[in-house]
Amino acid sequence: MESSTIGIIGLSVMGSNLARNMSGKGFTVSGYDYWPEQMIAFSETASKEGIYLAASLKDLVKSLSRPRKIMMMIKAGKPVDDLIDQLIPLLEPGDVIIDGGNSHFPDTTRRTRYVESRGMLFIGTGVSGGEEGALKGPSIMPGGSIKAWPLVKPILQTIAAKTDGGSACCEWVGEEGAGHFVKMVHNGIEYGDMQLICETYQIMKELFGMTAGEMSGTFSEWNGGELNSYLISITADILKFNDADGTPLVDKILDTAGQKGTGQWTAQTALGLGVPLTLITEAVFARSLSAMKEERNVASATYKQINDKGFQSPGIQHPSSNIGDLGQALYAAKIISYAQGYMLMQKAAMEHGWNLNYGGIAQMWRGGCIIRSAFLGQIKEAYDRDPGLTNLLLDPYFHDIILNTHGSLRKTVSEAVLQGLPVPAFSAALSFFDSYRSERLPANLLQAQRDYFGAHTYERTDRKRGEFFHTKWT
């Protein structure tokens, strides 16, 4: 048989679809999976599409052209380490191992160093877009051994999603764990986007009294403008989908959200680096709170008097007069969420010595991935204008948008709070913005408190920065 260009280990949905994508783009592919049922399930497709199914790891390695390139699409964690240890004795110096799973970036840094110490090269890459993206073109965020990039670039950029201008949504991110770090931030922003949309849905439903069909129409309309995005479009589809009895299926879905941990990683990393990632962290906590379904049922009954009485607000009018404000509030909060995500990437780049291309990252997210949206093009342009931009909110384009939309965000948060509707992500966006634009915050009192009980010292406004003082307060 002809030697294959690349091998795929892990032939579940993502791995098998990536193999089909690569084969369809002209690359010869070998596949392998430890689970016989996965091999059997994929065998007919593999036969039709010319994908070679290896009988063992050794057979897979033998089927590949040199330098060998093997992509692992398996469960993150210990299975990745175990597979690397099984592969290394079968490989030669210069061969490339690629981890395309949802690995935590510190693990990717450790694995890059380990594999390089054994003479091979390692890439840890984020792959976003789900099963459809894997087949038709995902967003791909590679990092790791820089020497490996020229070897895999033709493959990864060919199978990646493309922007309207034809650019591949795949570019080198940076050293060691940088690729998986950027994918982690992507997933954190995804958490924030989804929570904002869910809060918007609840306001429409409970505050405006809109039907699922009316909500679907509004999201469809928004998707034709500045809020155009994959998540907005699928929300419109979900809200118009009826169950067998003709009623909206979304109303029958239990309100307990799951999570796989990448949002938690994002929040934990932000806490470790001291980055105020407030909106995304609230989105993570919102999922945790939703999972407390039985306890929430008890609390709802306990506070039934409040729930029944409701709240009074003269500002509530027919939804047609408020829906525009709600859309503008969603746009403003979305921008603030991305600004926080970019703050985290900038701080991590300084911490780890990564040279991240922030405009290029926005470009990678413009197609294929879950958070793809129209305004990512404006983020790319912002960093093209000023590669040293310290915060997205300081870019002239986004500055003008926030000036025009923050009033709608305030109105939306105020009305929701007055009506007793939880809007943690909207509230976090507004609080962050107001804190960020404040020349003076009450942290002076906080520092005095810390000095009072712990002699932690403080700086003075009438002295140079870097001089510290302590007062014997009693």
Side-chain angles (χ1 to χ4, degrees):
M1 58 164 282
E2 177 189 357
S3 295
S4 294
T5 309
I6 188 168
I8 302 283
I9 301 176
L11 297 176
S12 59
V13 173
M14 288 294 290
S16 61
N17 277 356
L18 278 175
R20 294 172 62 197
N21 186 348
M22 292 174 181
S23 179
K25 297 296 193 307
F27 300 104
T28 49
V29 181
S30 294
Y32 176 73
D33 199 298
Y34 280 104
W35 300 100
E37 55 267 32
Q38 295 284 12
M39 297 279 280
I40 294 170
F42 190 55
S43 60
E44 185 176 347
T45 300
S47 177
K48 288 180 180 178
E49 304 198 18
I51 298 169
Y52 173 70
L53 290 184
S56 64
L57 279 183
K58 188 174 182 179
D59 184 33
L60 178 84
V61 171
K62 185 179 178 182
S63 73
L64 301 175
S65 60
R66 293 178 172 83
R68 303 176 183 91
K69 296 165 280 293
I70 298 175
M71 188 168 189
M72 304 179 295
M73 294 301 297
I74 63 174
K75 185 179 179 181
K78 190 174 182 298
V80 177
D81 290 313
D82 292 344
L83 183 52
I84 289 171
D85 284 335
Q86 292 173 54
L87 282 172
I88 283 177
L90 304 175
L91 300 177
E92 299 173 350
D95 289 347
V96 183
I97 300 174
I98 307 165
D99 176 15
N102 258 339
S103 292
H104 199 9
F105 76 93
D107 291 335
T108 302
T109 292
R110 170 178 56 80
R111 289 166 185 152
T112 303
R113 295 172 183 177
Y114 171 63
V115 172
E116 287 181 346
S117 74
R118 302 299 298 272
M120 275 66 80
L121 303 172
F122 189 80
I123 284 181
T125 182
V127 179
S128 178
E131 58 184 278
E132 182 180 0
L135 179 62
K136 297 180 180 179
S139 171
I140 306 176
M141 298 154 257
S145 305
I146 184 62
K147 290 181 180 179
W149 177 231
L151 303 177
V152 302
K153 179 179 179 179
I155 303 172
L156 298 185
Q157 289 195 334
T158 299
I159 68 166
K162 305 296 186 294
T163 66
D164 292 340
S167 298
C169 296
C170 170
E171 191 50 78
W172 183 251
V173 175
E175 304 83 350
E176 300 188 329
H180 271 133
F181 175 84
V182 168
K183 174 57 168 30
M184 179 195 75
V185 175
H186 164 284
N187 285 16
I189 291 173
E190 178 185 310
Y191 271 60
D193 270 2
M194 294 173 74
Q195 179 63 27
L196 286 168
I197 291 171
C198 289
E199 291 175 20
T200 301
Y201 155 77
Q202 189 169 22
I203 290 171
M204 288 177 170
K205 182 179 177 65
E206 299 192 24
L207 203 58
F208 296 169
M210 296 171 68
T211 66
E214 289 170 338
M215 289 186 273
S216 174
T218 298
F219 278 106
S220 292
E221 183 180 341
W222 285 350
N223 197 49
E226 57 196 7
L227 282 169
N228 171 265
S229 72
Y230 172 72
L231 287 170
I232 292 288
S233 70
I234 69 168
T235 301
D237 290 343
I238 290 167
L239 288 168
K240 71 181 179 183
F241 191 92
N242 290 332
D243 201 5
D245 63 0
T247 61
L249 177 59
V250 69
D251 292 341
K252 298 180 180 178
I253 298 175
L254 189 67
D255 58 325
T256 58
Q259 53 185 313
K260 292 186 176 180
T262 50
Q264 294 177 29
W265 290 347
T266 313
Q268 290 165 354
T269 301
L271 285 168
L273 293 174
V275 177
L277 202 76
T278 55
L279 193 154
I280 291 169
T281 303
E282 284 290 358
V284 175
F285 285 145
R287 294 196 188 190
S288 301
L289 189 53
S290 77
M292 300 166 58
K293 178 62 176 177
E294 288 72 23
E295 192 170 342
R296 287 192 291 114
N297 288 343
V298 173
S300 179
T302 303
Y303 289 99
K304 188 173 185 298
Q305 182 181 11
I306 296 177
N307 296 341
D308 289 345
K309 183 180 179 181
F311 303 85
Q312 299 298 318
S313 170
I316 300 300
Q317 302 171 20
H318 190 271
S320 62
S321 61
N322 288 274
I323 204 70
D325 278 320
L326 184 57
Q328 291 294 287
L330 179 57
Y331 192 35
K334 184 181 176 77
I335 290 170
I336 292 167
S337 178
Y338 277 74
Q340 290 186 1
Y342 269 80
M343 287 168 60
L344 180 59
M345 287 192 285
Q346 288 171 321
K347 187 65 177 288
M350 292 173 58
E351 183 79 9
H352 298 285
W354 297 333
N355 183 26
L356 300 184
N357 179 347
Y358 301 110
I361 291 168
Q363 176 88 348
M364 282 189 287
W365 290 347
R366 286 192 65 188
C369 70
I370 303 302
I371 65 170
R372 60 185 183 266
S373 63
F375 95 114
L376 280 162
Q378 299 296 338
I379 293 180
K380 182 183 186 304
E381 290 180 11
Y383 284 100
D384 286 346
R385 282 191 294 271
D386 181 6
L389 183 66
T390 55
N391 194 295
L392 204 58
L393 297 177
L394 300 180
D395 172 74
Y397 176 83
F398 289 106
H399 165 269
D400 290 347
I401 291 177
I402 293 296
L403 276 183
N404 291 326
T405 58
H406 78 96
S408 295
L409 179 58
R410 295 183 192 285
K411 181 177 180 181
T412 297
V413 171
S414 299
E415 295 296 349
V417 169
L418 286 170
Q419 294 298 315
L421 289 183
V423 283
F426 273 123
S427 299
L430 182 58
S431 293
F432 172 84
F433 172 64
D434 284 340
S435 295
Y436 184 69
R437 68 178 183 82
S438 294
E439 185 176 357
R440 187 172 178 84
L441 292 169
N444 54 321
L445 177 58
L446 189 148
Q447 279 301 93
Q449 292 169 334
R450 294 180 72 242
D451 188 57
Y452 188 109
F453 65 69
H456 293 294
T457 73
Y458 55 86
E459 294 175 278
R460 295 176 60 105
T461 59
D462 55 355
R463 301 294 178 87
K464 291 182 179 179
R465 291 296 304 267
E467 288 187 65
F468 293 88
F469 302 87
H470 169 60
T471 295
K472 192 170 183 180
W473 296 91
T474 55

